[in-house]
Amino acid sequence: MSPRPAFYNSAYVSAPERFVLAGGRWTLINIPIRYGIYEHKRVGRCLIDTGYCPRVTRGPRSLPLRIYAGLLRPRLETHSLPKAAPAIDAILLTHLHADHISALKDYPQARLYADGAGVDHFLNGGGFNRVRHGVFRELLPEDFRERLVRYETLPPVEAPLGLGPARDVFGDGEVLAMPLPGHMRGHTGLVWPKLERALLYAADAQWLARAVMENRPPGPPARWIMDDPVADAETRARIAAFARAGGEVVYCHDPDPQA
C-alpha cells in the first residue's frame, strides 16, 4: 500500500458560508488553506501546494499583492511553510492561485510539477490578466519554467472509480495528476489509487464538500472568479460519483477535511 499524504493548515480566512455554499448562512466561517506532505520512496519528500506563507502577509510586496492580502486577511498558523517543512524534494501544484504557491521561492532545489497549459496561459499573458485571476508573478521563482515538469508530458493512465484519464506523476502508479477543470485554468487534482480507500485531493474544485455532494455550488462572488462554469459542473459530477463509489475526497478549504 502506498504512503498516505498528510494535510496541514497554513492559514485561515473568514467569509460568510453563503459565499461558498448556495443557500448557506450569512454567518462567518473559518476557511482553512491547506497544503499536503507526501513521502515517496524514490523521489523523497513532496509538498502538495504550499498554502499561505509570510511572503503574502508582510515584507516587500507589490501594491496588488498588498491589496489582495488586505481583502482576504489570511491568519497564518504554526504549520505555515517553510518553517513547518524546511527541506523538500518535489512540489506538486494543483494551480497557481496565491494561496497554493506562495512558498515556492523557499524551495529553490525542489522539482516543480504543474499543468503546463495553465502555466503558459498565465505567464504568457499580461500582468493585469494574472492579477485579476489571483496569480502574482512575484511569488513564482525566476526559474519556475526551467524546473517545471508538465503533467501533460507524463504517462497516461486511468484513474480509479470512474474519475477518467490522468497522468502517472512518478511512473509507478503511486500518485496520479487528474484534470479538474472549472475553478481555474490548469486546475489539477491528485489521486492516490493504491491506498486501501482511493484518495482524491480535489483542491479548489469546490470550497465545501457539501457544494459537491448536495449540488449547491456558490453564486456570486465565488462564481465571478470561476474559469469555466460548464466544466465546473462536470467536475462536480465526477467527484460526487467518485465519492459515492467509495473514494475519499479532501478539499483545500473545507473546514471538515473528511467531509
Side-chain angles (χ1 to χ4, degrees), residues 45-139:
R45 196 167 221 209
C46 306
L47 284 179
I48 302 138
D49 292 333
T50 74
Y52 278 131
C53 77
R55 192 170 286 109
V56 170
T57 59
R58 59 178 182 261
R61 290 163 290 162
S62 67
L63 179 60
L65 187 54
R66 286 180 180 272
I67 293 172
Y68 169 92
L71 290 172
L72 293 177
R73 298 182 181 180
R75 307 183 303 278
L76 296 184
E77 290 286 289
T78 56
H79 277 292
S80 65
L81 298 171
K83 182 179 178 181
I88 292 296
D89 300 295
I91 303 176
L92 312 183
L93 296 174
T94 62
H95 59 301
L96 298 184
H97 277 154
D99 56 332
H100 294 259
I101 56 91
S102 68
L104 285 184
K105 286 186 174 181
D106 296 305
Y107 301 101
Q109 306 303 318
R111 180 172 292 183
L112 308 175
Y113 294 75
D115 177 86
V119 168
D120 291 342
H121 174 76
F122 290 107
L123 296 194
N124 292 346
F128 176 75
N129 180 60
R130 284 195 295 272
V131 169
R132 76 186 183 95
H133 286 287
V135 179
F136 298 90
R137 186 65 181 86
E138 67 201 86
L139 296 177

Side-chain angles (χ1 to χ4, degrees), residues 7 14-15 18-19 24 27 38 71 77-78 91 101 108 119 163 168 205 236 238 241-244 246:
F7 294 94
S14 296
R18 195 176 187 89
F19 281 14
T27 305
Y38 170 64
L71 290 172
E77 290 286 289
T78 56
I91 303 176
I101 56 91
V119 168
L163 274 176
D168 188 345
R236 288 199 316 274
R238 275 196 294 141
F242 172 82
R244 293 186 180 113

Side-chain angles (χ1 to χ4, degrees), residues 1-5 38 40 92 157-164 166-178 189-201 242 246-248:
M1 189 180 300
S2 64
R4 178 185 173 87
Y38 170 64
H40 187 271
L92 312 183
V157 291
E158 194 71 16
L161 302 179
L163 274 176
R167 299 286 176 161
D168 188 345
V169 177
F170 299 132
D172 56 8
E174 294 287 324
V175 57
L176 313 179
M178 160 62 56
L190 295 163
V191 185
W192 283 263
K194 294 185 178 181
L195 296 174
E196 183 175 353
R197 183 184 177 198
L199 168 65
L200 167 65
Y201 182 61
F242 172 82
E248 179 182 359

